[in-house]
Amino acid sequence: MDFSFTLLIILIPLAIFCVLGLFGSRVKPAVAGIAGTAGLFIVTILSYYTAYNYFSMFHAEDGYLPIKAFSILWLTFTDELQIHLGVLLDPLSVLMLVVITTVSLMVHIYSLGYMKGERGFQRYYAFLSLFTFSMLGLVVATNIFQMYIFWELVGISSYLLIGFYYERPAAVAASKKAFIVTRFADLGFLIGILLLSFNTGTFDFAILTNVAGPVIAQTTSTVFMGLSVTTWAMLLIFMGGAGKSAMFPLHIWLPDAMEGPTPVSALIHAATMVVAGVYLVARLFPIYALSAPDALEVIMYLGSFTSLFAAVIACTQLDIKRVLAYSTLSQIGYMMVALGVSGYGGEAGLGYMGSLFHLFTHAFFKALLFLGAGSVIHAVHSNVMNDMGGLRKYMPVTHITFLIACLTIAGIPPLSGFFSKDEILVAAFEHNKIIFAVQWLVAGITAFYMFRLYFNIFWNRTPAFEHTPHESPATMTLPLIFLAAASIFAGFVPFHELVTSDGKTFHTGFHWMIAIPSVLIALAGIGVATLLYYKQNSKAENIARSLKGFYTAASRKFYIDEGYLYLTRNIAFAFISRPVAWFDRHVVDAAMDLIGNSTVQLSGAIRKIQSGHIQLYIWFFTSGALLLTLIILYLN
Amino acid sequence: MNPLLFLLVIPILTMCAIVLTQDLKKVRLISAAGMSAQLLFAFILLYWFYQQRHAGNTAPMLFVSSTTWYESFNIQLKFGIDGISVAMILLTSIVTFAGVFVSWQVDFLRKEFFLSLILLATGVFGFFISLDLFTMFLFYELAVIPMYLLIGVWGTGPKVYSAMKLTLMLMGGSALLLVGLLGIYFNSAPEGGRLTWDLTEIAKVNIPVSAQLFFFPFTFVGFGILGALFPFHTWSPDGHASAPTAVSMLHAGVLMKLGGYGCFRVAMYLLPEAAHSLAWIFIILTTISVVYGAFGAIWQKDLKYINAYSSVSHCGLVLFALLMMNETATTGAFLQMISHGLMTALFFALIGMIYGRTHTRMINEMGGLMKVIPFLSVLYVIAGLASIGLPGLSGFVAEMTIFVGAFQNTDTFHRIATIIVCSSIVITAVYILRVVAILLLGPVRNEQYLKLQDAQWFERVGGISLVVSIAAIGLAPLWLSNLLREPLETILQPFTKL
Amino acid sequence: MTGQKIIFFMLAASVVGFSILSVLDRRILRAAIYLLFVLVAIAGLYFMMNYQFLAAVQLVLYAGGIVVLIIFSILLTSQINSRLDRPKFSHLLSGILTAFGGIALSIITVLQFTFKPVQAEALDVNMRTIGLHLMGTGADGYALPFEVISILLLAALVGTIFITRKSSA
Amino acid sequence: MNLQSEIPLHYMIVLSTLLFFIGLLGVLIRRNLITMLMGIELMLNAVNINFVAFNHYLYPHRMEGHFFALIVTAIAAAEAAVAIALIINIYRRFATVSVDDVDELKY
Amino acid sequence: MTWNSLYIMRHEVLLTILILYQLVADISEKNDKSRVVHITIITFFIVTVVGFFPSGDANLFGSMYISDDLRLLLKNILGVSTLIVLLQASTWLRDPQQGARTGAFCLSIFATLMGMFFMISAGNFLMVYLGLELATIPLTLLAAFDKGLRRSAEAGIKLLMSSAVSSAVLLFGLSMIYGIYGTFYFSELALLSNSSSLAILALTFFLCGLGFKLSLVPFHFWTADVYEGAPLAVTTYVSVVSKGAALFTLMLVLYRVFGHQSDIWLMALYLLSVITMVVGNLFALRQKNMKRFLAFSSITQAGFMILGFMNTDVLGMTTIVYFMLIYGFSNLAVFGVLSIVFNATGKEDMDYLSGFYSTNPRLSLIMLVSLFSLAGIPPVAGFFGKFFLFTAVASSGMYILVLIAVLNATLSLYYYLLVVKVMFINRNELPIGRLSSTAYEKIAFALCLGGVLIIGFASSVYEYIESVM
């Protein structure tokens, strides 16, 4: 069938953005909100429709083929290197469509309540639409350059949304940081694209990821510093992904990004944008798997380390949004690991499948967590755990949904998180035992810090609220409920029949040997958390004190930010930019001035020759004449 | 008569009208009308151009007309345009148009101001349409010299110093240029025949390489100085800082483009072998100026200085791309010229408007303007995003084309240079966001700014006309890039041979 | 050593000697007198080369005219036998250097050169030929210069009068 | 009688050259306008000697040198007259004819 | 002598008549000179016009006097310039308490002009020398014309002394030339050639003599002092007309007489032009007195002029004449403005011009245009003049010289812009009041501006000059 209508999925948000951006200030806030939400509702319907049609088009057995629903030429570089803008439909992109539109819709609805009465409500919705537009454009990209284009757009819209409260210096700083860090990563991405496209002569995914195609078939002859050029290219491209997905060491922007409105964090920094890196790797997976395995190794170790590292930090944070942010890091780490351990095709592609499966489920439960946290914050007007506690009485819906989310992320069967995490662990186990061990441990830590969070919010001591918190309005609770449902049932989606590394479905059994230990460690984590935080007590402090240095280090995020700060402020600025500015003024410019001034000085110096004495003049005349004669005689 | 002459006639008529009119109110109306007509005609010209092309006229230059001027030197009044010139003319007319509106509130010696402004524009138009080196040079100097009065009389700060410095450095540049041009002229008929100033004729003959090697540096540096080639760029910060708004716009937006255009049209086009063998020197210089300008911009406090340094960086990118000597990079270079022209014009316009309100250009004295003057601030952000290279705005298209083009040269030297240049996109982001953060965002630093009023209608006209063109190029770049690409095939012939 | 030689050397010696004296003597009136001697000696040289007319002009115009003029002006502007202050050493030095340099240069170049006299018989210089030439308008006719000089003298005359006249203003 | 055999041309030229530069010396070192004038007269006379000598020794078939000398003499006279006038003018304004004092226009 | 020959010599003849008229007028008209001035100017205008009538080539007085289209053109250029000078001087001449000067002034002017005419159409070095003296001696008197002023007297004596020495040197050179070649007639000299060191010495001395009139460095020292000391009209006259005459004479002699010895004078002029441009610029850089300023600027311009000699062919001569023409108009315009200012205020300092534009826009625009023309800025004629000169230099492959010259042009732009700055940019609470200009001055300005603005674009001018070479 004809999928060209999918173009609307991208265009509608764009239209909303333009309308709200230009005329938003003219209309009433409510109108803008409704309009945005309505528009996105349509988009969501459309994407579901697309998904349904797409998956029902093929028979699962003989696999899914990519469909280029739409494509126009946008810019020509060289005869073969051309940018097309288009819509590519394959399981991966369809999956992402569904995820993004769903979460985005939820956030839209949620924001109606959450952002009520905020200054610049219209602007907020305009930006949301802009983001949705760019994210959708990113996932349906038909070629890597289109992806880069929307990649940048996503970055900028995230910048705008983080800095939504532009009068708050912290928000401004955070948005700046986010943009610059990701921009730095994108530099790698760009160079990677340039390398890849120059070597392969194309941007198009269809050609790039064609297993039988020339790109993968060609054994990259040129080797640079021990690695093949393709490997370099893929590593650089992954750098971009790492930036967006906040992999260590480019993760620093994500926690700060929590300065933005909470729904934004839910949408961008939990569910959608931050997984763009995963999406990128998945999109180019054939190349990684077949012609740049070294790069894949790097991805695996990086992901694994990040997940552990983030989990540890998460245990120490007090700001609930930051806890969630670090947990996001850790979960994305999981996905990366899964990709890293995966092979191409059939059973080998289990990791790939698991990764995307986890992306899918994670989107729901992490969004849920954030929105729940948002609702809490909305109630108590604070992000810090210490101001919370015992909220279960006041806001039951939030409480229940939050609990579900925590269980899901902890990987308690039969919630969705369990299944997706299970796949990943299996894949890791088959590929690399150490990695498996790490991820298994991380699972426990995850459970621990999530329930630490949970108990600190909803149980524990009840502080004195200045005004009693109350349950959030329906506009906020409905999305919570929906997402809760989603995170319960998402696990039963037959993923291995839908999204696999080679588009062909494969059969995966259930691995008791992996599942049971993972559940056990999760329960263990929960248990510890219960012990420490169910009731108010000093055990936690004791433990923290007992491993003082490590604890403070962790709570200070291992001083990474300070390091970067030093690097930028004291190296880049003080040692390059300032000297350059000085050099330009006092050397280059001074040289130019010197020429002028010295001329004037010289003229001042020789003026005295014109002394006013006739005889001197005559002397100059005659001796000049004689001298000239001499010179000419000499020259002849 | 040749339709191109309208490009000269319209401004000249406008100037006459300004001279003749008596009341000062009318002056700006007249100039606005004139420049609007010019803009309109530029678009008509574009239309005619396409018409001709579609009619299958494949001549490298269209609307060519030549009348002998100085028989004994074989100087001709030869005019003609190809895609590149058309694009440049469009750019110029847009910027001039905006410039007139932005300087709506000039009231000191208003008549003279608009006269010299339009005179400057006339010089630029003449430069872009002339195919005869002599005429080209004439218009080149004609465009440079009104700058002195414009800065000196209507400028701010150390205007006399800056004006003198700018004029002398540019004239020094044209001094070198003159030597180069004379050299080209006297080598334009190596195997006998009539010497000629005619670009297209000279391009046909191949000038002896020894001569090329001698004259290429003169020509390239001569134009390069106007293109803010490191280390001859220092006129730019001071000049821009002191110049009145519209002048900064025209100068950074259009005049600096003359440099790049000339470097390509004269230096490289006529002296290909030398260009090819000396390119490495200038690649180093331009690479330096790209990064150097960006880093220089980070530390500045004065809005205009920031913008001047970023111009150094961007124009360095232009020259760099030209020196890559392949179709893509060259297209990118011209895209960058146009994009930077519009962008920086917008920047200077906004800076002028902000300065007109706050009476300071020091970013650390301002802050939180977004709350006070949202319209201007939003435009400023857009300009900033354009110069960061955000997709959907012109900057992205240009830079990407340049990078891809530059990447076509496979040897390590070019690769390293390219990667260094690429890194500028990060540095650019740093200083742009720094400015945006300090200047526009955050709390309002100074209470009395709270009662500033937002843009007036003429400011809106000026600003919007620029933003629209930036966005237009950014969203649908294909027509422009094809327009620029189509003549390059033939022009770059010699380089592909090498 | 014929008579002519003797006469020539006497004249030459007097020319050089007196000129040096007139240049160096610090009593200005004497200097003027020495100048007179020089001029007369030069007239003698003209006689030797039997350009009697020129010699006569030399005597009349220079000795009779200019020197007298100079003496008058000296009397007007300064007392008789008032001694001039001696020249500054630096001036003296530089002047002498230049002078000797010039002498050396010119004499060397002149001596290097070999003059070739024409092989045509000389026309005898008498008043008639002089007159014919002076009034001639054809080849070798000097009517035009003659007229021009008259204009020059006229202009000089008028101007001089204007300058020296006690100005009413 | 022929002079050529007796006294070679070079004698004359050397003589005139000496005279010329002595005159120049006078112009250069005397501090008095009038004596400078005298120096100039010497120079002109030197030149005249040249003309006449050349005419008589080398080109006796024409009288160009002779007449040139004649005209130079006349012009010298005019020049002298004008010079005297100007000197007197100076004397009126500056009350001196010393060169050193006539240096108000400078730099 | 026939009527025809009188017609051929009409410039000189008519000037003689004018001179005689001055004598008569000086005696008859005692107090009120304005009628004399009117009549003089009108008649001289007629003379100038008559000068433009064509007359074929001719050699008179046994080819002691040559007349052809080129020489006619040169004379006419000088004639027109002189006319402009007179027009500009008219106010100064008519000013009553200066009454007595008119006759003497005009007479001397005409005498010098006549001398220059003779220099130009000389066919014999005797005539060159005569013309030179005739053009110099009355000039010294003119320089001393402001009888009330010490500086004027000083200017006069300085000019006389140094020019006397210079003409003596020139004569020395001439005498050597006579010794070598045995003739003064151009027609005969043009056939002879000699490359002995004596010939070089002779030629160089001759060059120095003319270089003095042209005020080339190091023969230029008199220039500034005389320009400053002399009355403004005289300064104008010296800076344009007598410079032009010297240049033209030099050109005619070098190209037409010593054309086959070009290698000698080429070298000499190369050196002279470089040093002249540089030194002239350096001196001009800091001048505050407009007259001195223009003196040094004119020295620099002289340096540019002799660039043209680097091409020993028609191109060279053409560019020289062309440049001189443009320079004349530009310089005259500048002096015109100054004379109006001077007549009104008696001030010559640059600073007095500050804020001039606010009160006298027209005059300052004229000044602006002509200064740009001097600096060689398009679209005014000066640009073309300079450009073609450089072309001439480049045509003989001397690109280094071109570079030096162009850089000097840039440097000169600096101080021309200084004047512009003073007039346009400097603020001044009490600038010079609104000045009115008489009809004569208006005509003068019209002529100058016409020249400055049109010559460049009307290529026919250049081509005409080229055709008469």
Side-chain angles (χ1 to χ4, degrees), chain A residues 26 73-81 83 85 119 123 145 148-157 159-160 163 165-169 172-173 175-177 179-180 183-187 190-199 203 224 229 569 572-574 576-585 588-590 592-593 596-597, chain B residues 161 165 169 230-235 237-238 291-293 295-300 305 309 327-328 331 335 368 370-372 381 385 387-392 396-397 399-404 407-410 415 418-419 422-426 429-430 433-434 436-438 440-444 473-478 481-482 485:
Chain A
R26 309 273 169 74
L73 178 62
W74 188 66
L75 183 58
T76 319
F77 289 147
T78 67
D79 301 336
E80 66 270 12
L81 288 183
I83 305 181
L85 294 188
R119 189 165 167 283
R123 180 161 51 93
F145 217 102
Y148 180 74
I149 291 172
F150 285 98
W151 192 270
E152 291 295 329
L153 286 175
V154 170
I156 205 67
S157 38
Y159 166 78
L160 293 171
Y165 301 114
Y166 61 80
E167 292 178 48
R168 211 193 289 155
V172 174
S175 58
K176 207 168 88 185
K177 186 175 182 181
F179 190 86
I180 290 172
R183 182 75 173 188
F184 175 70
D186 296 348
L187 175 61
L190 177 61
I191 297 173
I193 293 175
L194 291 174
L195 262 175
L196 189 64
S197 59
F198 179 75
N199 290 340
F203 294 128
F224 178 63
V229 170
R569 179 104 357 111
F573 284 17
I576 301 176
S577 150
R578 188 182 194 171
V580 164
W582 183 89
F583 178 81
D584 193 61
R585 285 287 98 192
V588 182
D589 193 23
M592 300 298 166
D593 287 350
N597 296 338
Chain B
Y161 164 77
K165 180 174 181 177
M169 282 187 77
F230 176 87
F232 307 111
H233 63 278
T234 56
W235 55 268
D238 294 324
V291 180
Y292 176 92
F295 270 117
I298 291 181
W299 203 257
Q300 301 303 322
Y305 272 92
Y309 278 103
E327 218 172 302
T328 314
T331 317
L335 279 171
M370 178 68 81
K371 192 173 168 49
V372 194
V381 172
L385 294 181
S387 91
I388 287 177
L390 177 72
F396 177 80
V397 181
E399 285 176 356
M400 288 310 133
T401 319
I402 289 175
F403 295 151
V404 173
F407 229 76
Q408 305 299 316
N409 307 50
T410 49
R415 276 287 152 84
T418 311
I419 289 172
C422 287
S423 70
S424 73
I425 65 174
V426 181
V430 172
L433 293 188
R434 171 170 167 274
V436 169
I438 299 175
L440 306 176
L441 308 180
V444 181
I473 296 171
L475 292 173
L478 191 57
S481 93
N482 287 343
R485 178 183 304 276

